Amino acid sequence: MKNRAIVWFRRDLRLADNPALRAAVDGDYDGIVPVFIHAPEELGHWAEGGAQRVWLHDSLTALDNDLNALGSRLVVRRGPSLEALQVLIEESGATAVFWNRLYDPLIVERDKQIKQTLNKRDDLHVESFQAHLLFEPWQISTQQGAPYKVFTPFWKRIKQEPRRAPLPRPAELPPVWSRIGTVDIAELDLLPRIRWDKGIRQRWEPGESGAQRRLEAFLDEPAEQYDEGRDRPAVPGTSYLSPHLHFGEISPHQVMHRSEEWLDEHAKPAPREHIESFQSEIGWREFAHHVLFHFPATPEEPLDQRFKDFPWVQDDEALAAWRDGQTGIPMVDAGMRELWATGYMHNRLRMTVASFLTKNLRIAWQHGERWFWDTLVDADLANNTLGWQWAAGCGADAAPFFRIFNPARQGQRFDAKGAYVRRWVPEIAELPDKHIHEPWAAPKRVLEEAGITLGETYPRPIVDLKVSRREALDAFEQIKNT
Ligand SMILES: Cc1cc2nc3c(=O)[nH]c(=O)nc-3n(C[C@H](O)[C@H](O)[C@H](O)COP(=O)(O)OP(=O)(O)OC[C@H]3O[C@@H](n4cnc5c(N)ncnc54)[C@H](O)[C@@H]3O)c2cc1C
């Protein structure tokens, strides 16, 4: 009897450093069937948002091309996942099923059930692997055996653990025999009918090669000044690896390993601290997954239970202005428009717009979380939840609630020449640097010279930053000691 293996691709859309694929290649299998099963209904309301669906379409296409180059192809099926796997096991005569683990609560539950069911068969070997993170969330705990809720000791602990080296990419793969049918990627209907995705597709290159190129482009230059560059939204100062990491087109092992290798190759005095800062962001990703795994209700509920009683405001008009980038606060509007146009927003802006929504507008963080979910190409349940709870002050290692970002000050500090704001809010581009972040405070004459009529060509601020800050602090007083 022939031995055949199914490799179930999920959010590990790469061929290198893929333990599930490696197990199939290294095992004694005559046939390997790489499969992707599209089953958004199994993810409840955390199924891929609009921007992610565009990414997924292109990433699956790239994976199929990469598999073709090695002599194989991607088999695409529709869910439910268990049934799709069972059908494929029968069709292919598979004797093994391999996949890499993920940590979103609904996926953990689903995979557990699938494993239990498939394990009942004596003729099948079922195995899952660690690939999406540096370590399993249950491997790392405090001295008391509890999950970490503070980043610094978590990361210190992780750095002490020996890490494995990335696994090699297979040189070739056996062909998938022709009677194994596939759904055409286009039939998954991942692309929008009204093609709003042009900006996303112009900006990004989904797929494993795109991810590798991104990492090298980052190491080529921005990495050397990461500590300063990462806070300047007008310059390409960060890696832009987040969607690639989310879809597993590159693994955190590869990123850590390659950045260390690069340090050895570039014996320059400065880069070490910059690379260490960059690596600690990979640590935040790891931390976010750790928190999500141990506190699976956090995508919906605050980790800090006091915030369940926070007096949030229901204001649909203000929420719409925030979403549309029409708040009259240039930094906020620039961030929200970048997000809509490209599926991405710089981290400094994510913190700024999230603080503005949850504190100045006092709208519940879950509304922002949902909008990001639908519009970000890197929307990630772990990172997005942690980011929103961090900004709202109600999560693990969160910014204290009383730390309220002033968006105008953020602009003056991190976009001093206004280049970022001018790119995304062109209607105020003619304002001098001095007034670009606070058009409402500019003298009438300056506004006239810049061709601006507040309330007509650009909105007046929908809230007064000082007054709303005070109101937020008062609201916090109500729950502070509960
Ligand atoms: C409100 C809010 C929502 C966010 N939502 C998401 C999200 O849905 N998906 C997402 O990937 N990141 C999210 N982040 C974190 C961060 O903004 C992005 O990871 C980062 O901007 C991506 O750009 P980059 O790849 O160039 O980052 P780099 O600075 O180059 O960092 C390298 C990698 O580290 C990880 N990382 C960086 N910062 C963080 C962080 N604060 N938390 C967790 N991981 C981090 C990412 O995987 C990133 O690709 C959010 C932050 C906030 C404040």
Side-chain angles (χ1 to χ4, degrees):
M1 184 173 142
K2 292 208 179 275
N3 281 330
R4 288 164 177 172
I6 291 173
V7 178
W8 179 17
F9 281 87
R10 298 119 61 84
R11 282 198 342 248
D12 49 357
L13 305 177
R14 63 178 181 273
L15 302 183
D17 196 39
N18 187 323
L21 180 61
R22 185 45 42 198
V25 171
D26 289 347
D28 188 18
Y29 296 100
D30 314 299
I32 297 177
V33 185
V35 65
F36 176 85
I37 303 167
H38 190 233
E41 64 285 354
E42 292 171 359
L43 307 177
H45 60 273
W46 299 114
E48 295 96 18
Q52 280 193 307
R53 288 163 64 85
V54 173
W55 190 286
L56 182 61
H57 176 279
D58 289 359
S59 190
L60 290 175
T61 309
L63 179 64
D64 189 32
N65 290 338
D66 292 348
L67 284 165
N68 290 170
L70 299 191
S72 179
R73 68 185 163 93
L74 184 65
V75 173
V76 177
R77 294 285 165 99
R78 286 204 175 84
S81 300
L82 174 61
E83 277 94 295
L85 284 172
Q86 284 170 323
V87 168
L88 196 56
I89 291 165
E90 296 315 317
E91 284 178 9
S92 64
T95 51
V97 181
F98 298 122
W99 70 80
N100 296 313
R101 288 189 283 276
L102 291 169
Y103 308 92
D104 300 11
L106 288 174
I107 298 182
V108 171
E109 271 314 302
R110 178 196 70 187
D111 291 353
K112 220 188 273 176
Q113 282 173 15
I114 290 180
K115 208 180 222 180
Q116 271 170 8
T117 308
L118 295 184
N119 264 333
K120 286 185 189 143
R121 295 177 56 145
D122 296 335
D123 56 347
L124 199 65
H125 172 69
V126 183
E127 195 171 347
S128 66
F129 299 84
Q130 183 269 329
H132 196 62
L133 300 176
L134 298 173
F135 296 98
E136 296 295 16
W138 53 87
Q139 274 179 299
I140 306 291
S141 53
T142 64
Q143 283 185 340
Q144 292 72 38
Y148 280 94
K149 287 190 190 170
V150 182
F151 173 72
T152 305
F154 171 82
W155 186 230
K156 208 170 146 198
R157 171 69 210 290
I158 293 242
K159 283 198 291 186
Q160 288 161 3
E161 296 286 322
R163 269 186 287 113
R164 68 165 173 79
L167 304 167
R169 181 188 167 94
E172 57 177 347
L173 288 170
V176 176
W177 44 111
S178 56
R179 66 187 164 74
I180 303 283
T182 186
V183 173
D184 195 25
I185 294 168
E187 284 176 42
L188 296 179
D189 248 348
L190 295 167
L191 297 178
R193 303 253 152 90
I194 299 167
R195 299 305 302 267
W196 49 257
D197 55 323
K198 204 169 130 220
I200 292 182
R201 295 181 114 188
Q202 268 169 1
R203 173 158 184 177
W204 302 97
E205 187 192 353
E208 188 170 9
S209 314
Q212 290 295 337
R213 266 193 282 278
R214 265 270 101 246
L215 177 59
E216 292 307 318
F218 172 67
L219 292 173
D220 245 8
E221 214 182 307
E224 290 184 33
Q225 289 138 39
Y226 180 73
D227 262 341
E228 296 89 44
R230 63 193 281 214
D231 270 325
R232 315 234 166 257
V235 297
T238 62
S239 72
Y240 304 114
L241 280 172
S242 48
H244 298 288
L245 278 162
H246 171 77
F247 283 98
E249 297 166 355
I250 192 167
S251 77
H253 281 287
Q254 290 173 295
V255 176
M256 294 295 281
H257 186 80
R258 179 69 191 113
S259 54
E260 271 151 24
E261 211 175 55
W262 180 89
L263 262 183
D264 293 340
E265 288 163 9
H266 294 72
K268 293 182 193 166
R272 178 159 296 277
E273 68 206 57
H274 295 285
I275 289 293
E276 280 175 5
S277 297
F278 168 65
Q279 291 182 335
S280 81
E281 297 304 330
I282 302 296
W284 273 99
R285 173 182 183 274
E286 193 86 1
F287 181 60
H289 285 77
H290 180 84
V291 173
L292 177 64
F293 180 80
H294 291 289
F295 304 99
T298 49
E300 273 91 20
E301 288 176 18
L303 185 69
D304 181 341
Q305 293 291 306
R306 290 176 306 170
F307 278 83
K308 276 188 153 178
D309 299 322
F310 189 82
W312 299 113
V313 169
Q314 181 78 35
D315 185 342
D316 293 345
E317 220 174 290
L319 180 60
W322 178 81
R323 282 200 294 243
D324 295 345
Q326 295 290 345
T327 65
I329 316 278
M331 274 294 266
V332 174
D333 293 343
M336 298 307 292
R337 294 182 195 186
E338 180 190 17
L339 172 61
W340 181 250
T342 69
Y344 179 85
M345 191 196 296
H346 190 279
N347 183 57
R348 177 76 18 211
L349 275 301
R350 294 190 204 203
M351 294 192 288
T352 305
V353 304
S355 170
F356 181 77
L357 185 78
T358 55
K359 293 170 180 174
N360 298 97
L361 298 180
R362 252 193 309 135
I363 291 177
W365 57 274
Q366 290 94 334
H367 290 285
E369 183 195 30
R370 286 276 356 146
W371 182 247
F372 271 29
W373 186 259
D374 210 30
T375 48
L376 278 172
V377 281
D378 66 19
D380 182 277
L381 198 58
N383 293 354
N384 200 34
T385 302
L386 190 89
W388 275 97
Q389 291 209 7
W390 181 90
C394 63
D397 208 351
F401 186 88
F402 55 78
R403 188 168 165 217
I404 299 179
F405 281 62
N406 179 319
R409 297 288 101 71
Q410 290 290 311
Q412 285 151 359
R413 204 165 150 208
F414 299 109
D415 184 38
K417 297 257 165 242
Y420 178 76
V421 157
R422 286 194 177 87
R423 188 181 314 154
W424 293 109
V425 193
E427 62 268 40
I428 59 167
E430 295 302 320
L431 276 176
D433 297 355
K434 188 174 167 214
H435 298 291
I436 190 83
H437 294 294
E438 285 178 304
W440 60 88
K444 204 164 157 252
R445 179 189 49 81
V446 173
L447 288 172
E448 272 168 16
E449 279 170 15
I452 299 166
T453 311
L454 286 181
E456 282 178 31
T457 58
Y458 183 65
R460 292 181 197 285
I462 59 170
V463 280
D464 180 291
L465 293 176
K466 273 201 192 121
V467 174
S468 56
R469 178 176 190 281
R470 189 68 260 155
E471 287 170 354
L473 293 175
D474 290 346
F476 181 57
E477 282 300 315
Q478 292 179 36
I479 61 149
K480 202 165 115 187
N481 301 315
T482 53

